Amino acid sequence: MFNMGDDLMKQWTENWEKLMGEHLEKLVHNEKFINEMSKSIAATMTGKAMYSKLIDEQMAAMNLPSRTEMVKVLQKLTDIEERLIDLSERFEDYVEAQSRKPGAPEKKSRLKSRQKQNLEKSKAFVLNK
Amino acid sequence: MIGSLDTLVQHMDAVTEHFMRKTAENWGDYPRGVTPREEVWNAGNVSLLKFESPENAQGTPLLIIPSLINRWYILDVTEETSFIREFAARRPTFLIDWGYPGTEVGHLPLSHYYHKTIMRAIRQIRKMTGCEKVDMLGYCIGGTMAYVFSCLEPDLVDHLVLLTAPLSFKEAGILANYANTFPVEEFSASMEKMPGWMLAFSFQFIQPMGAYQKTRMFHQKCDNEGFKKLFNAMERWIADPVDFPARAYYELLTDLYQDDLLSQGRLETAEGRLVDPACRRARTLILNAAKDHIAPLTTTGLPVNDQGPVSQVTIPSGHIGITTGKNCKDACKKAIEFIMN
């Protein structure tokens, strides 16, 4: 009796899942539904743009920086950072190319390690004395 | 209104996170990405990660390009399913972590990511390893980006693995239907980014019974510790959405999904360089999933004028299942065999 109830419940759940699955699958693939959804997203976004513009105008009236202006400043900073990365890469390439030329001065890192070696040698010399 | 919704969703996320932490027990502190790693370079939001490899792991370094629309650790979500762990055991392995892009990068074009950033990462890898070329693996949109890069810089890429990467968007299934009707101009005028929660919602939306089936599966298998571990790790990954920079998103929808410029060989970078598929020389493996609803099999084929070397393996799983499901080991093995030969 109990098992029969379980089986019925299981069968009912499976049927419900299958029916719901088919119905919702059809719905999300339906072109008309997709178009309507797109229209509602468009309307929300247009509303958001208008609302943001209104807020920006109010901030400007109070002589305060608006969100749009702050974002612009952040984006300018990103541009400057990008430019700096580009320039430092070009500079590294230039230094690399120069150091490969015959008779080029030693690389700074190599020079430093040689200076360190010399310093250690002289320290050892002083200690031996 | 969308801004307020964003805040509301963030609060709801925090509540969910709190609830999950209480129910996840020990798995609550499980790391996001299990393979030990260090950040070797960064620029803005983007960083280059190097994974710990044994000393005998030599050869051409592998650069992994994850998707821009979610976090990279889907490829390293647990020890049992990790692709990265397997790669790092054999090769010096690097990955571009796109981070969490905010409004400050909303004006950067898509080519900033698929050309400039990948180029910079390869520059660092070449400096560190002394290798002239790299092998690349791209997942999802990351695969599209890796492919575009291999067309732009054919001398820098040796092997290329495209893991469920859409390349031709003409018959891209349900996502293309939504992309084609998406109000891109209204989006461009009103948003500085595509919020991550909205993207996550859209992926749930196209599989309406997904959440129900997932809950039912959890109910059936929650006594299994292995399942619980993977389920928890996956839920944490799903609950970690990433915003998509606005201009890049606009270009993704218009240039790729709506106009299908890549497969026609008409895609251009922001600097005006043409992405010509005929230029690709990297040996390429297309690793696609038979039940993929995000990048269906019809989208993963190469453009017609691409005559470079290519092989293809289809794994019987879905878009996410190929990285964490029961067939993920097969997919990983195929990728490793291809890269090592």
Side-chain angles (χ1 to χ4, degrees):
Chain A
M1 174 83 183
F2 222 65
N3 279 347
M4 201 176 82
D6 275 358
D7 288 348
L8 269 176
M9 192 65 190
K10 199 179 163 197
Q11 203 180 346
W12 182 86
T13 316
E14 277 170 8
N15 284 344
W16 173 84
E17 192 185 325
K18 199 179 161 209
L19 273 173
M20 274 307 268
E22 281 170 4
H23 175 71
L24 290 173
E25 199 75 8
K26 265 186 203 163
L27 183 73
V28 296
H29 281 83
N30 185 303
E31 253 178 55
K32 202 176 165 194
F33 174 76
I34 295 173
N35 282 332
E36 289 306 316
M37 216 172 115
S38 169
K39 275 182 203 165
S40 93
I41 294 173
T44 312
M45 283 177 174
T46 311
K48 196 235 171 202
M50 281 164 67
Y51 176 72
S52 298
K53 200 180 162 200
L54 202 73
I55 297 278
D56 282 359
E57 281 169 4
Q58 286 192 352
M59 296 301 273
M62 289 188 284
N63 215 12
L64 288 169
S66 68
R67 182 184 155 77
T68 313
E69 284 167 337
M70 297 293 278
V71 169
K72 269 186 190 163
V73 171
L74 281 173
Q75 293 184 345
K76 280 277 172 221
L77 280 173
T78 303
D79 288 342
I80 293 168
E81 193 185 5
E82 286 297 314
R83 191 90 187 105
L84 273 173
I85 296 169
D86 285 343
L87 284 172
S88 52
E89 280 181 357
R90 284 175 66 179
F91 181 69
E92 278 170 19
D93 287 347
Y94 175 77
V95 171
E96 191 72 33
Q98 290 299 311
S99 67
R100 278 199 201 130
K101 279 185 182 170
E106 275 184 299
K107 256 189 169 181
K108 210 176 175 182
S109 55
R110 236 181 287 158
L111 202 68
K112 267 191 179 169
S113 75
R114 186 172 292 181
Q115 279 171 349
K116 204 178 163 187
Q117 275 174 10
N118 288 343
L119 193 74
E120 275 164 10
K121 265 185 201 167
S122 58
K123 268 184 192 168
F125 176 73
V126 172
L127 283 175
N128 288 338
K129 258 189 164 180
Chain B
M1 187 181 163
I2 285 176
S4 317
L5 269 178
D6 203 359
T7 318
L8 180 70
V9 170
Q10 277 172 17
H11 287 308
M12 281 171 69
D13 270 355
V15 173
T16 315
E17 178 89 17
H18 175 72
F19 178 72
M20 280 181 71
R21 273 190 190 284
K22 287 204 90 174
T23 50
E25 298 160 17
N26 294 338
W27 301 123
D29 299 322
Y30 200 68
R32 290 171 194 240
V34 290
T35 311
R37 59 195 177 268
E38 59 169 332
E39 186 185 287
V40 288
W41 171 81
N42 72 63
N45 292 309
V46 180
S47 50
L48 181 67
L49 306 180
K50 184 181 189 304
F51 292 90
E52 215 174 86
S53 289
E55 271 179 27
N56 59 354
Q58 298 293 327
T60 313
L62 173 70
L63 174 63
I64 298 172
I65 315 289
S67 179
L68 258 176
I69 55 175
N70 47 44
R71 298 289 289 141
W72 62 269
Y73 56 84
I74 184 63
L75 297 169
D76 194 30
V77 81
T78 63
E79 289 87 350
E80 293 78 18
T81 60
S82 173
F83 273 52
I84 290 173
R85 194 182 164 95
E86 296 295 323
F87 292 135
R90 293 164 176 86
R91 286 281 170 94
T93 304
F94 297 83
L95 178 140
I96 295 179
D97 177 4
W98 301 112
Y100 294 92
T103 48
E104 74 281 2
V105 289
H107 64 306
L108 296 178
L110 194 57
S111 64
H112 171 82
Y113 297 94
Y114 67 64
H115 190 211
K116 214 171 192 179
T117 308
I118 297 179
M119 190 74 186
R120 282 176 183 164
I122 290 180
R123 184 190 158 87
Q124 296 302 322
I125 294 171
R126 288 171 76 183
K127 265 206 283 188
M128 270 183 271
T129 61
C131 290
E132 282 301 306
K133 287 186 171 192
V134 297
D135 292 337
M136 274 170 122
L137 179 139
Y139 174 53
C140 187
I141 291 296
T144 313
M145 291 158 77
Y147 175 78
V148 171
F149 182 84
S150 75
C151 298
L152 285 165
E153 307 293 341
D155 297 333
L156 296 180
V157 189
D158 193 10
H159 289 77
L160 174 67
V161 180
L162 303 172
L163 187 60
T164 62
L167 301 176
S168 163
F169 294 83
K170 204 174 176 186
E171 289 167 39
I174 186 165
L175 271 185
N177 293 348
Y178 280 90
N180 286 336
T181 52
F182 189 80
V184 280
E185 297 311 325
E186 285 85 350
F187 166 78
S188 171
S190 62
M191 308 284 278
E192 293 125 5
K193 60 184 182 186
M194 182 63 177
W197 66 265
M198 230 167 145
L199 280 170
F201 174 74
S202 64
F203 287 118
Q204 282 180 4
F205 188 79
I206 56 171
Q207 271 198 320
M209 292 299 278
Y212 168 76
Q213 282 161 348
K214 192 171 71 179
T215 316
R216 201 187 59 177
M217 192 168 68
F218 181 75
H219 178 66
Q220 286 166 351
K221 294 186 181 176
C222 64
D223 292 335
N224 180 333
E225 276 302 302
F227 170 80
K228 206 169 157 185
K229 178 184 175 184
L230 180 62
F231 185 88
N232 187 61
M234 287 299 292
E235 283 305 297
R236 278 159 55 97
W237 174 75
I238 292 166
D240 190 10
V242 185
D243 300 334
F244 208 107
R247 185 172 163 196
Y249 191 69
Y250 177 87
E251 288 176 9
L252 176 78
L253 291 187
T254 52
D255 292 355
L256 295 179
Y257 272 98
Q258 291 180 358
D259 300 335
D260 194 21
L261 296 182
L262 175 60
S263 67
Q264 296 167 26
R266 293 195 295 126
L267 184 70
E268 281 185 9
T269 67
E271 292 81 27
R273 270 191 69 185
L274 186 73
V275 180
D276 185 3
C279 291
R280 177 186 65 86
R281 288 199 298 273
R283 278 167 286 179
T284 301
L285 171 69
I286 296 174
L287 201 51
N288 50 17
K291 297 174 202 161
D292 197 334
H293 65 293
I294 293 172
L297 294 180
T298 46
T299 64
T300 55
L302 294 177
V304 187
N305 56 345
D306 182 340
Q307 299 297 320
V310 64
S311 49
Q312 181 174 321
V313 174
T314 303
I315 304 289
S317 67
H319 190 76
I320 309 292
I322 200 169
T323 59
T324 56
K326 61 180 176 187
N327 294 314
C328 71
K329 283 206 182 336
D330 281 349
C332 186
K333 201 175 139 197
K334 294 284 177 199
I336 288 170
E337 278 172 8
F338 174 76
I339 287 171
M340 299 298 278
N341 288 325

